Amino acid sequence: MSKGKLSVVFIGTPEFSCPSLEKLAEKEKVVAVVTQPDKPRGRGKKISPPPVKVKALQKNIPVYQPDNLNKLCFLEKIEKLRPDLIVVVAFGKILPGKLLNIPKFFPINLHPSLLPKYRGPAPVPWAIIKGEKYTGITVQKMTEKVDEGEIILQKKVPIAANDTSDSLSKKLSHIGAEALIEAIDLIKKGKIDLRPQVGKASYAPKIKKDMGKINWEKSAWEIHNLVRGLNSFPGAFTEFFYRERFYPLKIWETEILENFSNNKKGMPGSVVKIIKDRGFIVKTGKGYLLVKKVQLPGKSKIDAYDFIKGYHVKEGFTLGG
């Protein structure tokens, strides 16, 4: 049992981690932040710090950015801090056992899924792509086996029909930050009740760019979920033929048309109707999808109806290479 503030080493990298760091810095004593090295980002490939580093420096918290977590000099620095807890939120690399064994209590991890479902690096996009109605967050005791630790607590969160990976991640990051504080309070009070993960495990592998190619033979729901799940990275895409060549076209926003019917013949991928100021309707393997926002290579995102006007796309035009 601990009445005072716990000393915490926080390990995380992306924007998702920042609300947790913010809350921890308010409630406990964050003695150091460990994050990944600065990397080239964006179209200009400018060297930029991870969001967690920016947040830590704003709060005058020491930052470590080791290129190798097994290096003795790095491990010794963390040992000298004598942390009560190590808290990990979306770091992006597997932590070695030597690091996990340093804290007085144990290392804990915030994972954005209801474990054991969607273990791995990309639980949020995969939950949307798979058409889940609910997801959640899990605070777990970490082990060397990725996302297989005993559960401290979980929170169930509904996935809204218009949620994208970006919007859902933001929602989960704030709910997760509150849950993390709740879990630490349980640890401090000695009321923690660790329980094993129960149920069928599933894996959420890293998202790759080629996963975004739309197969119009699939159902409208499957395509709609793919578009939402890959928004904002890397984006779902199709191809359209213009001036003797195929161009990739990213699809950023769609809408399911449950009650739309069409008597015209056409193969999946064909544009069956253009709706002024709204976009264009595409036939799929099952059902119809209204495409509302698109993007061409090197261009900004635009309304789908503006794309239709600019490229003189007519009904009957077919997408896909």
Side-chain angles (χ1 to χ4, degrees):
M1 186 178 291
S2 175
K3 293 181 180 180
K5 291 186 176 183
L6 297 184
S7 63
V8 177
V9 170
F10 183 85
I11 303 179
T13 301
E15 192 66 42
F16 180 87
S17 313
C18 289
S20 291
L21 176 57
E22 186 91 45
K23 280 286 180 186
L24 273 173
E26 290 173 8
K27 300 286 187 178
E28 308 297 339
K29 186 179 179 181
V30 181
V31 294
V33 162
V34 179
T35 189
Q36 293 204 34
D38 298 359
K39 293 179 181 177
R41 303 172 201 277
R43 195 173 293 170
K45 297 298 179 184
K46 182 181 176 183
I47 300 295
S48 303
V52 159
K53 178 182 178 179
V54 175
K55 179 67 70 177
L57 293 178
Q58 287 172 354
K59 295 183 173 298
N60 297 313
I61 301 170
V63 176
Y64 299 102
Q65 295 177 277
D67 54 6
N68 184 343
L69 296 169
N70 283 295
K71 278 188 176 177
L72 188 59
C73 58
F74 165 69
L75 293 170
E76 286 176 344
K77 285 177 183 176
I78 303 301
E79 281 179 341
K80 284 179 182 177
L81 295 170
R82 301 178 69 184
D84 295 311
L85 278 178
I86 285 179
V87 175
V88 184
V89 182
F91 177 59
K93 287 184 178 179
I94 296 173
L95 304 185
K98 289 178 182 178
L99 181 59
L100 297 178
N101 289 328
I102 289 175
K104 175 184 173 182
F105 290 104
F106 43 72
I108 63 175
N109 168 247
L110 172 66
H111 185 77
S113 82
L114 295 172
L115 291 172
K117 292 190 78 170
Y118 300 112
R119 292 172 177 167
V124 176
W126 280 110
I128 295 175
I129 290 167
K130 295 292 187 181
E132 301 283 1
K133 301 299 181 188
Y134 289 89
T135 184
I137 58 91
T138 301
V139 181
Q140 61 170 331
K141 177 183 176 181
M142 289 189 74
T143 67
E144 289 189 63
K145 292 183 177 180
V146 178
D147 299 330
E148 294 188 29
E150 292 173 296
I151 293 168
I152 299 171
L153 61 81
Q154 290 184 314
K155 304 283 185 183
K156 191 175 181 181
V157 179
I159 300 176
N162 60 345
D163 262 332
T164 63
S165 278
D166 268 7
S167 67
L168 184 57
S169 288
K170 189 173 288 187
K171 194 187 304 182
L172 292 172
S173 72
H174 290 283
I175 294 169
E178 297 287 349
L180 202 54
I181 298 303
E182 187 180 334
I184 291 172
D185 282 343
L186 291 173
I187 293 169
K188 290 168 75 171
K189 292 172 182 175
K191 293 183 178 179
I192 192 167
D193 181 22
L194 294 172
R195 52 192 172 87
Q197 295 184 24
V198 177
K200 187 177 180 181
S202 59
Y203 186 67
K206 186 177 179 180
I207 296 293
K208 297 179 180 177
K209 288 185 178 181
D210 60 1
M211 292 177 178
K213 187 168 185 179
I214 294 171
N215 176 1
W216 294 105
E217 298 277 353
K218 291 192 172 184
S219 72
W221 271 109
E222 287 174 293
I223 297 167
H224 179 62
N225 291 339
L226 182 72
V227 169
R228 295 189 303 130
L230 300 186
N231 184 345
S232 65
F233 176 84
F237 67 93
T238 186
E239 293 177 321
F240 84 105
F241 192 72
Y242 181 73
R243 291 183 178 175
E244 306 302 316
R245 60 169 287 194
F246 282 100
Y247 290 84
L249 179 71
K250 284 196 173 182
I251 309 289
W252 287 113
E253 188 179 346
T254 55
E255 180 183 326
I256 298 286
L257 299 178
E258 297 275 19
N259 300 315
F260 179 78
S261 59
N262 178 62
N263 296 323
K264 297 176 185 177
K265 291 183 178 180
M267 61 189 294
S270 58
V271 176
V272 298
K273 189 175 179 63
I274 295 167
I275 304 177
K276 186 177 180 181
D277 296 329
R278 288 197 69 200
F280 55 93
I281 299 173
V282 183
K283 182 178 182 179
T284 72
K286 183 180 179 182
Y288 295 87
L289 201 60
L290 175 65
V291 176
K292 301 170 77 173
K293 200 171 286 290
V294 300
Q295 184 181 23
L296 286 161
K299 305 286 186 181
S300 299
K301 296 175 186 178
I302 59 171
D303 290 336
Y305 185 67
D306 291 335
F307 164 75
I308 288 284
K309 289 191 297 181
Y311 287 86
H312 309 289
V313 176
K314 306 293 183 185
E315 290 179 8
F317 182 87
T318 301
L319 297 167

